[in-house]
Coordinates of all heavy atoms in Angstrom, one line a residue:
M517 N 9.0 -5.5 7.5 CA 8.2 -5.1 6.4 C 8.8 -3.9 5.6 O 9.1 -2.9 6.1 CB 6.8 -4.6 6.9 CG 5.8 -4.2 5.8 SD 5.5 -5.5 4.7 CE 5.1 -4.6 3.2
K518 N 9.0 -4.2 4.3 CA 9.6 -3.2 3.4 C 8.6 -3.0 2.2 O 7.9 -3.9 1.8 CB 10.9 -3.6 2.9 CG 12.0 -3.3 3.9 CD 13.4 -3.6 3.3 CE 14.5 -3.3 4.4 NZ 15.8 -3.7 3.9
C519 N 8.6 -1.8 1.7 CA 7.8 -1.5 0.5 C 8.3 -2.3 -0.7 O 9.4 -2.3 -1.0 CB 7.9 0.0 0.2 SG 7.1 0.5 -1.3
P520 N 7.3 -3.0 -1.3 CA 7.7 -3.8 -2.5 C 8.1 -3.0 -3.7 O 8.7 -3.5 -4.6 CB 6.5 -4.7 -2.8 CG 5.4 -4.1 -2.0 CD 5.9 -3.2 -0.9
L521 N 7.7 -1.7 -3.7 CA 8.1 -0.8 -4.8 C 9.4 -0.2 -4.6 O 10.3 -0.2 -5.5 CB 7.0 0.2 -5.0 CG 5.7 -0.2 -5.7 CD1 4.9 1.1 -6.0 CD2 5.9 -1.0 -6.9
C522 N 9.6 0.5 -3.5 CA 10.8 1.3 -3.4 C 11.8 0.7 -2.4 O 12.9 1.2 -2.3 CB 10.4 2.8 -2.9 SG 9.8 2.8 -1.2
G523 N 11.4 -0.3 -1.6 CA 12.3 -0.9 -0.7 C 12.5 -0.2 0.6 O 13.3 -0.6 1.4
S524 N 11.8 0.9 0.7 CA 11.9 1.7 2.0 C 11.2 1.0 3.1 O 10.3 0.2 2.9 CB 11.2 3.1 1.8 OG 10.9 3.7 3.0
S525 N 11.7 1.2 4.3 CA 11.1 0.6 5.5 C 10.1 1.6 6.2 O 9.6 1.3 7.3 CB 12.2 0.1 6.5 OG 13.1 1.2 6.8
S526 N 9.9 2.7 5.5 CA 8.9 3.7 6.1 C 7.5 3.2 5.7 O 6.8 3.9 5.0 CB 9.1 5.1 5.5 OG 10.4 5.4 5.3
V527 N 7.1 2.1 6.2 CA 5.9 1.5 5.9 C 5.1 1.3 7.2 O 5.6 0.8 8.2 CB 6.1 0.1 5.2 CG1 4.7 -0.6 5.0 CG2 6.8 0.3 3.9
G528 N 3.8 1.8 7.2 CA 3.0 1.7 8.3 C 1.8 0.8 8.1 O 1.3 0.7 7.0
K529 N 1.4 0.1 9.1 CA 0.3 -0.8 9.0 C -1.0 0.0 9.2 O -1.1 0.7 10.1 CB 0.4 -1.9 10.1 CG -0.6 -3.0 9.9 CD -0.3 -4.3 10.7 CE -1.2 -5.4 10.3 NZ -1.0 -6.6 10.8
V530 N -1.9 -0.2 8.2 CA -3.1 0.6 8.3 C -4.4 -0.3 8.5 O -5.5 0.1 8.6 CB -3.3 1.5 7.1 CG1 -2.3 2.6 7.1 CG2 -3.3 0.7 5.8
G531 N -4.2 -1.6 8.4 CA -5.3 -2.5 8.6 C -4.8 -4.0 8.5 O -3.6 -4.2 8.5
V532 N -5.8 -4.9 8.4 CA -5.4 -6.3 8.3 C -4.8 -6.5 6.9 O -5.4 -6.3 5.9 CB -6.6 -7.2 8.5 CG1 -6.2 -8.7 8.3 CG2 -7.2 -7.0 9.9
E533 N -3.5 -6.9 6.9 CA -2.8 -7.2 5.7 C -2.8 -5.9 4.8 O -2.6 -6.0 3.6 CB -3.4 -8.3 4.9 CG -3.5 -9.6 5.6 CD -2.1 -10.2 5.9 OE1 -1.4 -10.6 5.0 OE2 -1.7 -10.3 7.1
Q534 N -2.9 -4.8 5.4 CA -2.8 -3.5 4.6 C -1.7 -2.6 5.2 O -1.6 -2.4 6.4 CB -4.2 -2.8 4.8 CG -5.2 -3.2 3.8 CD -6.4 -2.3 4.0 OE1 -7.1 -2.5 5.0 NE2 -6.7 -1.5 3.1
Y535 N -0.9 -2.1 4.3 CA 0.2 -1.3 4.7 C 0.3 0.0 3.8 O -0.2 -0.1 2.7 CB 1.5 -2.1 4.5 CG 1.6 -3.3 5.4 CD1 1.1 -4.5 5.0 CD2 2.1 -3.2 6.7 CE1 1.1 -5.6 5.8 CE2 2.2 -4.3 7.5 CZ 1.6 -5.5 7.0 OH 1.6 -6.6 7.8
Y536 N 0.9 1.0 4.4 CA 1.0 2.3 3.6 C 2.5 2.7 3.6 O 3.1 2.7 4.6 CB 0.2 3.3 4.3 CG 0.1 4.7 3.6 CD1 -0.7 4.8 2.5 CD2 1.0 5.7 4.0 CE1 -0.7 6.0 1.8 CE2 0.9 6.9 3.3 CZ 0.1 7.1 2.2 OH 0.1 8.2 1.5
C537 N 2.9 3.0 2.4 CA 4.3 3.5 2.3 C 4.3 5.0 2.3 O 3.7 5.6 1.5 CB 5.0 3.0 1.0 SG 6.6 3.6 0.8
W538 N 5.1 5.6 3.3 CA 5.2 7.0 3.4 C 6.1 7.6 2.4 O 6.2 8.8 2.3 CB 5.6 7.4 4.8 CG 4.6 7.0 5.8 CD1 4.6 5.8 6.6 CD2 3.4 7.7 6.2 NE1 3.5 5.8 7.4 CE2 2.7 6.9 7.1 CE3 2.8 8.8 5.7 CZ2 1.5 7.3 7.7 CZ3 1.6 9.2 6.2 CH2 0.9 8.4 7.2
N539 N 6.9 6.7 1.7 CA 7.8 7.2 0.7 C 7.2 7.3 -0.6 O 7.3 8.3 -1.3 CB 9.0 6.2 0.7 CG 10.2 6.8 -0.1 OD1 10.5 8.0 0.1 ND2 10.8 6.0 -0.9
C540 N 6.4 6.3 -1.1 CA 5.7 6.5 -2.4 C 4.2 6.8 -2.3 O 3.6 6.9 -3.3 CB 5.9 5.2 -3.3 SG 6.6 3.7 -2.7
F541 N 3.7 6.9 -1.0 CA 2.3 7.3 -0.8 C 1.4 6.4 -1.5 O 0.4 6.8 -2.2 CB 2.1 8.8 -1.3 CG 3.0 9.8 -0.7 CD1 4.0 10.4 -1.4 CD2 2.9 10.1 0.6 CE1 4.9 11.3 -0.9 CE2 3.7 11.0 1.2 CZ 4.7 11.6 0.5
V542 N 1.6 5.1 -1.4 CA 0.7 4.1 -1.9 C 0.4 3.1 -0.8 O 1.1 3.0 0.2 CB 1.3 3.4 -3.1 CG1 1.5 4.3 -4.3 CG2 2.6 2.6 -2.8
E543 N -0.7 2.4 -1.0 CA -1.2 1.4 0.0 C -1.1 0.1 -0.7 O -1.3 -0.1 -1.8 CB -2.6 1.7 0.4 CG -3.1 1.0 1.6 CD -4.4 1.5 2.1 OE1 -4.6 2.7 2.2 OE2 -5.3 0.6 2.3
Y544 N -0.7 -0.9 0.2 CA -0.6 -2.3 -0.3 C -1.6 -3.2 0.4 O -1.8 -3.0 1.6 CB 0.8 -2.9 0.0 CG 1.9 -2.0 -0.5 CD1 2.5 -1.1 0.4 CD2 2.3 -2.0 -1.8 CE1 3.4 -0.2 -0.1 CE2 3.2 -1.1 -2.3 CZ 3.8 -0.2 -1.4 OH 4.7 0.6 -1.8
Q545 N -2.1 -4.1 -0.3 CA -2.9 -5.2 0.4 C -2.3 -6.5 -0.1 O -2.1 -6.8 -1.2 CB -4.3 -5.1 -0.1 CG -5.1 -3.9 0.5 CD -6.5 -3.8 0.1 OE1 -7.0 -4.8 -0.5 NE2 -7.2 -2.8 0.4
F546 N -2.1 -7.4 0.9 CA -1.5 -8.7 0.7 C -2.7 -9.7 0.8 O -3.3 -9.8 1.8 CB -0.4 -9.0 1.7 CG 0.7 -8.1 1.5 CD1 0.9 -7.1 2.4 CD2 1.6 -8.2 0.5 CE1 2.0 -6.2 2.3 CE2 2.7 -7.4 0.3 CZ 2.9 -6.3 1.2
Q547 N -2.9 -10.4 -0.3 CA -4.0 -11.4 -0.4 C -3.3 -12.7 -0.8 O -3.2 -12.9 -2.0 CB -5.1 -11.0 -1.3 CG -5.7 -9.6 -0.9 CD -6.7 -9.1 -1.9 OE1 -6.7 -9.5 -3.0 NE2 -7.6 -8.2 -1.4
G548 N -2.9 -13.5 0.1 CA -2.2 -14.7 -0.2 C -0.9 -14.4 -0.8 O -0.1 -13.7 -0.3
D549 N -0.7 -14.9 -2.1 CA 0.6 -14.6 -2.8 C 0.5 -13.3 -3.6 O 1.5 -12.9 -4.1 CB 0.8 -15.8 -3.8 CG 1.2 -17.1 -3.1 OD1 1.6 -17.0 -1.9 OD2 1.1 -18.2 -3.7
E550 N -0.7 -12.7 -3.6 CA -0.9 -11.6 -4.4 C -0.6 -10.3 -3.6 O -1.1 -10.1 -2.5 CB -2.3 -11.6 -4.9 CG -2.4 -11.5 -6.4 CD -3.9 -11.5 -6.8 OE1 -4.5 -12.5 -6.6 OE2 -4.3 -10.5 -7.4
T551 N 0.0 -9.3 -4.3 CA 0.1 -8.0 -3.7 C -0.6 -7.0 -4.6 O -0.3 -6.9 -5.7 CB 1.6 -7.6 -3.6 OG1 2.3 -8.6 -2.8 CG2 1.7 -6.2 -2.9
R552 N -1.6 -6.3 -4.0 CA -2.2 -5.3 -4.7 C -1.7 -3.9 -4.3 O -1.6 -3.7 -3.1 CB -3.8 -5.4 -4.6 CG -4.3 -6.6 -5.2 CD -5.8 -6.8 -4.9 NE -6.3 -8.1 -5.4 CZ -6.8 -8.2 -6.6 NH1 -6.9 -7.2 -7.4 NH2 -7.2 -9.4 -7.0
V553 N -1.5 -3.0 -5.2 CA -1.0 -1.7 -4.9 C -2.1 -0.7 -5.3 O -2.6 -0.7 -6.4 CB 0.3 -1.4 -5.7 CG1 0.9 -0.1 -5.3 CG2 1.3 -2.6 -5.4
Y554 N -2.3 0.2 -4.3 CA -3.4 1.2 -4.6 C -2.8 2.6 -4.3 O -2.0 2.8 -3.4 CB -4.5 1.0 -3.6 CG -5.3 -0.3 -3.7 CD1 -4.8 -1.4 -3.0 CD2 -6.3 -0.4 -4.6 CE1 -5.5 -2.6 -3.1 CE2 -7.0 -1.6 -4.7 CZ -6.6 -2.7 -4.0 OH -7.2 -3.9 -4.1
S555 N -3.2 3.5 -5.1 CA -2.8 4.9 -4.8 C -4.0 5.5 -4.1 O -5.2 5.1 -4.3 CB -2.6 5.7 -6.1 OG -3.7 5.9 -6.8
V556 N -3.8 6.4 -3.1 CA -4.8 7.0 -2.3 C -5.2 8.3 -3.0 O -4.4 9.2 -3.1 CB -4.4 7.2 -0.9 CG1 -5.6 7.8 -0.1 CG2 -3.9 5.9 -0.3
E557 N -6.4 8.4 -3.4 CA -6.9 9.6 -4.1 C -7.2 10.7 -3.1 O -7.2 10.5 -1.9 CB -8.2 9.3 -4.9 CG -8.0 8.2 -5.9 CD -7.0 8.6 -7.0 OE1 -7.2 9.6 -7.7 OE2 -6.0 7.9 -7.1
E558 N -7.3 11.9 -3.6 CA -7.5 13.1 -2.7 C -8.8 12.9 -1.9 O -8.8 13.5 -0.8 CB -7.7 14.4 -3.6 CG -6.3 14.9 -4.1 CD -6.4 16.1 -5.0 OE1 -7.5 16.7 -5.0 OE2 -5.4 16.4 -5.7
D559 N -9.8 12.2 -2.4 CA -11.0 12.1 -1.6 C -10.9 10.8 -0.6 O -11.9 10.5 0.0 CB -12.2 12.0 -2.5 CG -12.2 10.7 -3.4 OD1 -11.2 10.0 -3.3 OD2 -13.1 10.5 -4.2
G560 N -9.7 10.2 -0.6 CA -9.5 9.1 0.3 C -9.9 7.7 -0.2 O -9.6 6.7 0.4
S561 N -10.3 7.7 -1.5 CA -10.6 6.4 -2.1 C -9.4 5.8 -2.6 O -8.4 6.5 -2.9 CB -11.7 6.6 -3.2 OG -11.2 7.4 -4.2
L562 N -9.4 4.5 -2.9 CA -8.2 3.8 -3.4 C -8.4 3.5 -4.8 O -9.5 3.1 -5.3 CB -8.1 2.5 -2.6 CG -7.8 2.6 -1.1 CD1 -7.8 1.3 -0.4 CD2 -6.6 3.4 -0.8
M563 N -7.3 3.6 -5.6 CA -7.3 3.3 -7.0 C -6.2 2.3 -7.2 O -5.1 2.6 -6.9 CB -7.2 4.5 -7.9 CG -7.5 4.3 -9.3 SD -7.4 5.8 -10.3 CE -5.6 6.0 -10.4
E564 N -6.5 1.1 -7.8 CA -5.5 0.1 -8.0 C -4.6 0.6 -9.1 O -5.0 1.1 -10.1 CB -6.2 -1.2 -8.4 CG -5.2 -2.4 -8.4 CD -5.8 -3.7 -8.4 OE1 -7.1 -3.8 -8.6 OE2 -5.1 -4.7 -8.3
I565 N -3.3 0.4 -8.8 CA -2.3 0.7 -9.8 C -1.4 -0.4 -10.1 O -1.4 -1.4 -9.5 CB -1.4 1.9 -9.4 CG1 -0.8 1.7 -8.0 CG2 -2.2 3.2 -9.4 CD1 0.1 2.8 -7.6
Ligands
LIG1416 ZN1 7.4 2.7 -1.2

């Protein structure tokens, strides 16, 4: 598993089909062929980017 944005392998699994990149501080969700990218806000909520 590598980050689709930066290519780093510093990616941790945080849920089902959910991964977090420790390099760009964003979360990914894989839904079929689609990859959604979220930034994690200070309050812990996710904002799609
Ligand atoms: Zn990354």
Side-chain angles (χ1 to χ4, degrees):
M517 180 60 207
K518 281 187 178 174
C519 173
L521 283 190
C522 68
S524 164
S525 53
S526 325
V527 174
K529 189 165 190 176
V530 292
V532 178
E533 302 294 296
Q534 274 182 290
Y535 298 87
Y536 184 80
C537 176
W538 296 99
N539 196 43
C540 8
F541 305 107
V542 295
E543 196 172 307
Y544 309 95
Q545 286 181 9
F546 297 102
Q547 301 175 338
D549 291 341
E550 235 179 297
T551 304
R552 290 173 187 271
V553 184
Y554 299 89
S555 68
V556 182
E557 301 299 298
E558 284 176 14
D559 64 359
S561 64
L562 298 176
M563 192 175 77
E564 190 166 6
I565 53 176

